[in-house]
Amino acid sequence: MDKSEVEQVLITVKSGTEEALNIKIYKNGILARRGCGGLPGVKISGMSFTGDSTYFDKLMNSVSQQVLDENINHEEKIITGSLEYLVAFYGVSSNGDQGERAEWTKSTGLRFFMDEGTSFRHNLLGFVDGLAIEAMKLTDSWYFDIMMIGLEKMRSTSLPEQTLATAPKTDEALKQDFQSYFEQVSKKDLAGFAKGKVYLNEECVGHGLEFSGDEKSITYKFTAS
């Protein structure tokens, strides 16, 4: 698959049946993400129509034509539990759609389905792990705003107008997502995610967001602006 043909990148990380990360980045500007790469998996998810290819272009700068030529599907016998890393590339739509409803005619990817205790090593396994981390870093600030919708029903004015967010329905599941997210995210980055942003409550009143604490414990509060 030629690099110029790629229209969508999908990255997933799974442990057993639980998904730790799912990121989709489209050349047409669609951005979707669920999770932070750790367990328990964060269930709050979001999708935005950004209108440009900024995220896609930045991520694809780390993908060479050599990677797209590999098309690896490594599977091994599972003894203690499974771990799966996947990076898939899609392009050339047969139905004219280049988003969620696209019918891609070309695809390639790198999939490693391994036992948790594997001794398997491959240079492209490191690449997949690194690309997943890069995709998270690119979308961390955006995903933080998705989390604030799901957890607090506070919507950042920095989000694209066409943004959807979904969250678990029960208080118990939301509490688990809250704990999982703040355990997995880098505490020192949180203040930067919210810096200069305005968050609107359900009455459309603007609020600033402030953090306090350290690497072990951190709290935040919204203040009407």
Side-chain angles (χ1 to χ4, degrees), residues 75-206:
E75 290 192 1
E76 56 189 50
K77 184 178 179 179
I78 304 303
I79 300 173
T80 59
S82 65
L83 181 63
E84 182 185 52
Y85 286 88
L86 169 70
V87 173
F89 305 92
Y90 302 92
V92 188
S93 174
S94 64
N95 65 354
D97 192 284
Q98 294 176 325
E100 288 285 277
R101 297 180 180 178
E103 295 178 2
W104 305 117
T105 61
K106 289 192 175 183
S107 64
T108 189
L110 307 171
R111 177 176 177 261
F112 297 93
F113 184 71
M114 307 167 293
D115 185 78
E116 288 179 342
T118 188
S119 59
F120 173 78
R121 295 292 182 270
H122 194 288
N123 63 325
L124 286 177
L125 175 58
F127 166 80
V128 170
D129 183 55
L131 195 69
I133 292 171
E134 183 175 352
M136 283 193 290
K137 287 182 177 179
L138 281 172
T139 59
D140 270 344
S141 180
W142 170 85
Y143 189 61
F144 174 80
D145 289 347
I146 295 297
M147 291 299 299
M148 289 300 99
I149 295 177
L151 293 173
E152 308 288 354
K153 295 183 179 179
M154 300 289 282
R155 183 185 177 97
S156 169
T157 57
S158 299
L159 286 170
E161 184 176 346
Q162 289 183 286
T163 294
L164 306 172
T166 60
K169 302 300 181 184
T170 67
D171 289 340
E172 182 179 353
L174 278 174
K175 182 179 179 181
Q176 179 62 66
D177 265 8
F178 175 91
Q179 292 176 337
S180 297
Y181 176 79
F182 285 100
E183 286 174 0
Q184 295 170 26
V185 74
S186 173
K187 307 293 189 301
K188 61 183 175 58
D189 293 334
L190 286 169
F193 295 160
K195 185 177 181 180
K197 292 179 178 178
V198 176
Y199 293 85
L200 304 178
N201 63 13
E202 293 180 290
E203 288 74 40
C204 291
V205 176

Side-chain angles (χ1 to χ4, degrees), residues 1 3-12 22-32 47 56 59-60 63 68 87-93 97-104 106-109 131:
M1 184 176 184
K3 185 174 179 178
S4 65
E5 296 175 311
V6 178
E7 297 281 346
Q8 180 200 350
V9 183
L10 168 67
I11 301 173
T12 63
N22 186 308
I23 296 180
K24 291 187 285 187
I25 299 179
Y26 291 79
K27 191 174 185 177
N28 71 356
I30 295 175
L31 177 64
M47 177 182 290
F56 179 87
L59 189 65
M60 287 300 292
V63 180
L68 293 166
V87 173
F89 305 92
Y90 302 92
V92 188
S93 174
D97 192 284
Q98 294 176 325
E100 288 285 277
R101 297 180 180 178
E103 295 178 2
W104 305 117
K106 289 192 175 183
S107 64
T108 189
L131 195 69

